[in-house]
Amino acid sequence: MSQIKTDPEMESQLKIGFIGAGNMAYGIAKGILSGDVLPANMKVSAPSSRNLGRFQELGIAVTHSNPELVCSSDVVFVAVKPHLVPLVLNEVSQHITQRHIIVSVAAGVTLATLEDLLPFNSAVLRLMPNLPCLVQEGALLFSRGSHAKPEDGALLRSLLHRCGLVEEGPEAWIDIHTGLSGSGVAFVYLFAEALAEGAVKMGMPSALAHSIASQTVLGAGRLLRDSGKHPSQLRSEVCTPGGTTIYGLHTLEQGGVRAATMSAVESATERARELGQKSAGVGCKK
Amino acid sequence: MSVGFIGAGQLAHALVRGFTAAGVIATQRITASSPDTDLPTVMGLRKLGVNLTTSNKETVSKSDVLFLAVKPHIIPFVLDEIGPDIEDRHLIVSCAAGVTISSIEKKLQQYRPSPKVMRCMTNTPVVVREGATVYATGTHAEVEDGKLLEQLMASVGYCTEVEEDLIDAVTGLSGSGPAYAFTAVDALADGGVKMGLPRRLAVRLGAQALMGAARMLLDSEQHPGQLKDNVCSPGGATIHALHVMESGGFRSLLINAVEASCIRTRELQFLADQEKISPAAIKKTTLDKVLQQPGVAAAGVGVRSGGISLFSSNSPRTKKN
């Protein structure tokens, strides 16, 4: 972990802008607001007003002009759909200066592509969040571009730390993170649904089963994160000899759940890599 | 202290080799009996300096600690034969899978009010002093008897006391365990040979890998899952291999195996507890030789026409004079 200190006062003076007003932008904005940044220092731009309401409720200024947003921001989050990234960056590129830090949240858009679309020497970082950023329990991995300094990474980490777990890594890990944690959230939802259905099969009403299933996942997750123990250790601790859990686990093992889960992360990661290569081909040069 | 073995097969041989290597008892103080003197294990025991005899009664008279090292379905015959000769000093240790302490005590109580019985489940690596042994203590055995047995068995590996109802599970896990390991090493070696290694080297390396891993685990506070992680570098060879294993249901296979062994043990016990067993289940030669022993009457071993009663208390007693 980087030991570079960031200055909270400086941070509170920073202007943060979001191009795109979708769920990711919203979740990240909320997380940043729980820190030292004031709503007055934040702005979001989107072509339509559809998604801007919830930002306004937080006290964040809104605009329909991407260039205006860039000019009034120091840190710019590019939070549009991947296929819109080249369009947006072409639009604002001339307004990017040395003071700017550009953070792309677009899945599959590589640092090379981003740097090609922006002025030379631009400080670019690539961030892969996940859905639970919405409730400040995200898992976020970022990677620095060729001209983003360690201090830029430390600044981003500091801005985002209330969004959840924030880690830095080489760009190669971002696709893996996508498979593990971006898509991983959906794998957990699938598992939760199946848990509930098992309970319904055994006679519990559906609503109650779902509510208990989600709390089970949440509770187990909290324990896993906060105990610092290896998951296999925690699993063993739940299994009393000859008890219910070991019987259930045996059935899971017979179903090959572990291998299937490993394969799921693998498939999602490989798809992320594929998409990354595709979008690199699509990204148009100036 | 003298030790006797009723039965001179794999188990007796392995235990004697282990005890001798550990130096915990001199071979002259060990007696073993078997009706079949041609067994390779019998010859092995003779070479070690053990007193060999075809008479179970002789083994009993020469021993303080008496191991019943015969197959489970032979136990009732043996008990009927030696029952009259058991003295207060004797500690009977049954190693037969699935045979309960209460069934043995019930048999012996026809001859003696308070027979000291213990039940143990060990495994073949006692031969290299890396055995895994558990024992349960019978109604009339004292704490000191347990300590004595534990001392003996701890000299050839790990030994601990358990409640008797866990012994079937132990059978499934560590009783059969070495067979799982041999199969694993054989297959690992096949993998090595497939990828170009000479067989001998492959077997050696496979066995060493398992042994080393087991040693690491036994010496570590860490969960095996954690130790596994420590071996798997990101994107490396090992994690790829592990994925293949998981896809094959490796874990569930092992769980199934332990379960199958345990369940079969219970089945065998159930069969034994049933009052009848077909004479075809007993090797004719063994039965004949037992019946040829001096002082053993057919009635005494509960042989009846049309079937052999195992733990029936209706068999006529042969009182010792």
Side-chain angles (χ1 to χ4, degrees):
Chain A
M1 275 252 243
S2 169
Q3 291 303 310
I4 299 170
K5 296 259 190 301
T6 52
D7 182 357
E9 220 184 80
M10 175 196 77
E11 209 176 286
S12 61
Q13 301 301 325
L14 274 178
K15 303 278 195 286
I16 318 285
F18 291 83
I19 304 183
N23 282 333
M24 275 309 143
Y26 185 62
I28 293 172
K30 272 178 72 175
I32 294 178
L33 276 180
S34 343
D36 291 311
V37 179
L38 298 167
N41 287 338
M42 289 175 69
K43 194 177 280 192
V44 59
S45 74
S48 89
S49 302
R50 199 168 20 105
N51 291 327
L52 293 175
R54 51 187 177 165
F55 288 87
Q56 285 169 310
E57 275 166 34
L58 293 174
I60 298 174
V62 303
T63 173
H64 297 299
S65 163
N66 290 338
E68 189 220 310
L69 180 111
V70 168
C71 291
S72 56
S73 304
D74 305 305
V75 180
V76 178
F77 285 88
V78 180
V80 298
K81 292 266 186 310
H83 67 273
L84 293 174
V85 169
L87 199 74
V88 163
L89 292 187
N90 274 332
E91 192 191 348
V92 301
S93 182
Q94 59 195 276
H95 303 285
I96 306 285
T97 69
Q98 283 302 295
R99 83 163 192 281
H100 282 103
I101 295 174
I102 313 295
V103 184
S104 164
V105 184
V109 181
T110 60
L111 285 165
T113 305
L114 295 163
E115 286 172 354
D116 267 350
L117 292 163
L118 290 165
F120 184 70
N121 274 356
S122 298
V124 182
L125 298 99
R126 184 182 168 190
L127 172 69
M128 175 51 62
N130 70 352
L131 191 59
C133 286
L134 279 176
V135 292
Q136 268 73 77
E137 284 289 4
L140 305 95
L141 184 72
F142 72 87
S143 186
R144 281 185 288 125
S146 357
H147 308 291
K149 301 188 285 300
E151 302 86 79
D152 301 328
L155 173 63
L156 183 61
R157 194 197 289 276
S158 165
L159 280 174
L160 296 177
H161 82 278
R162 291 252 168 69
C163 298
L165 174 72
V166 186
E167 298 282 4
E168 180 177 351
E171 190 173 18
W173 293 0
I174 292 204
D175 291 327
I176 306 172
H177 177 74
T178 306
L180 164 62
S181 178
S183 304
V185 169
F187 307 158
V188 174
Y189 292 151
L190 184 150
F191 191 70
E193 187 181 356
L195 282 173
E197 282 183 330
V200 169
K201 178 179 177 181
M202 302 320 299
M204 183 179 275
S206 178
L208 181 60
H210 276 93
S211 148
I212 292 177
S214 72
Q215 184 64 26
T216 302
V217 168
L218 174 64
R222 280 274 289 271
L223 258 181
L224 176 58
R225 181 189 60 189
D226 296 344
S227 71
K229 292 181 184 173
H230 196 275
S232 61
Q233 175 72 47
L234 286 167
R235 171 177 51 86
S236 294
E237 283 169 13
V238 185
C239 292
T240 33
T244 64
T245 310
I246 191 69
Y247 269 71
L249 276 174
H250 187 190
T251 308
L252 273 179
E253 294 285 7
Q254 284 169 322
V257 170
R258 282 183 190 256
T261 308
M262 286 177 78
S263 298
V265 173
E266 189 173 340
S267 306
T269 301
E270 279 176 356
R271 184 58 176 165
R273 286 175 184 160
E274 244 176 79
L275 291 172
Q277 276 159 2
K278 275 198 197 147
S279 85
V282 159
C284 30
K285 292 192 188 245
K286 279 196 302 228
Chain B
M1 180 199 53
S2 302
V3 170
F5 288 87
I6 308 283
Q10 298 285 350
L11 180 60
H13 190 212
L15 281 173
V16 169
R17 281 175 65 186
F19 291 155
T20 1
V24 75
I25 182 165
T27 44
Q28 306 94 283
R29 306 199 72 90
I30 305 180
T31 310
S33 53
S34 164
D36 186 348
T37 48
D38 286 337
L39 289 173
T41 48
V42 169
M43 301 198 283
L45 284 166
R46 192 171 283 129
K47 276 207 197 108
L48 288 168
V50 166
N51 306 312
L52 278 165
T53 171
T54 51
S55 162
N56 288 338
K57 287 172 174 309
E58 187 185 328
T59 302
V60 172
S61 68
K62 288 188 172 151
S63 311
D64 305 306
V65 178
L66 189 66
F67 283 94
L68 303 181
V70 292
K71 297 254 187 319
H73 58 270
I74 304 285
I75 294 278
F77 289 91
V78 166
L79 292 177
D80 267 331
E81 189 197 342
I82 65 175
D85 304 307
I86 302 295
E87 313 261 315
D88 282 341
R89 75 173 191 279
H90 282 112
L91 175 62
I92 317 284
V93 182
S94 164
C95 303
V99 179
T100 59
I101 291 176
S102 77
S103 66
I104 299 174
E105 285 177 345
K106 211 166 87 173
K107 212 69 164 106
L108 292 177
Q109 267 157 348
Q110 298 171 44
Y111 306 100
R112 186 143 221 102
S114 315
K116 292 195 292 183
V117 178
M118 306 194 67
R119 177 181 174 187
C120 87
M121 171 50 55
T122 183
N123 65 358
T124 46
V126 289
V127 75
V128 292
R129 301 179 62 198
E130 286 288 1
T133 309
V134 302
Y135 68 93
T137 313
T139 326
H140 311 289
E142 308 286 334
V143 171
E144 301 87 64
D145 299 316
K147 292 261 179 289
L148 176 61
L149 180 63
E150 199 168 312
Q151 243 186 322
L152 265 176
M153 300 311 293
S155 75
V156 292
Y158 174 74
C159 180
T160 191
E161 184 181 9
V162 296
E163 298 295 330
E164 190 181 9
D165 62 353
L166 296 183
I167 292 193
D168 294 333
V170 173
T171 308
L173 173 56
S174 58
S176 301
Y180 313 153
F182 293 138
T183 308
V185 173
D186 202 12
L188 288 170
D190 278 343
V193 168
K194 178 175 179 183
M195 304 320 294
L197 297 178
R199 168 67 58 177
R200 284 186 68 139
L201 179 61
V203 172
R204 192 72 173 77
L205 292 174
Q208 187 68 33
L210 253 57
M211 185 166 73
R215 177 49 48 202
M216 274 179 75
L217 178 56
L218 288 173
D219 286 352
S220 165
E221 298 284 305
Q222 293 184 306
H223 195 278
Q226 178 67 63
L227 289 170
K228 161 184 61 77
D229 278 5
N230 295 346
V231 186
C232 292
S233 36
T238 310
I239 189 71
H240 272 71
L242 273 178
H243 192 188
V244 169
M245 279 172 52
E246 294 289 2
S247 302
F250 183 66
R251 288 180 187 253
S252 73
L253 269 182
L254 290 172
I255 299 174
N256 293 347
V258 173
E259 189 176 45
S261 175
C262 176
I263 287 175
R264 180 59 179 166
T265 305
R266 290 179 188 153
E267 263 175 22
L268 290 171
Q269 176 198 306
F270 175 72
L271 287 172
D273 280 350
Q274 285 181 328
E275 294 289 294
K276 284 236 176 236
I277 187 169
S278 132
I282 315 292
K283 240 167 53 173
K284 256 301 168 359
T285 48
T286 307
L287 184 52
D288 283 347
K289 283 174 178 163
V290 166
L291 291 175
Q292 279 160 31
Q293 292 308 311
V296 177
V301 289
V303 176
R304 290 207 280 259
S305 59
I308 296 163
S309 162
L310 280 185
F311 294 104
S312 166
S313 49
N314 294 333
S315 58
R317 296 180 182 202
T318 47
K319 280 213 153 58
K320 197 177 152 140
N321 292 329

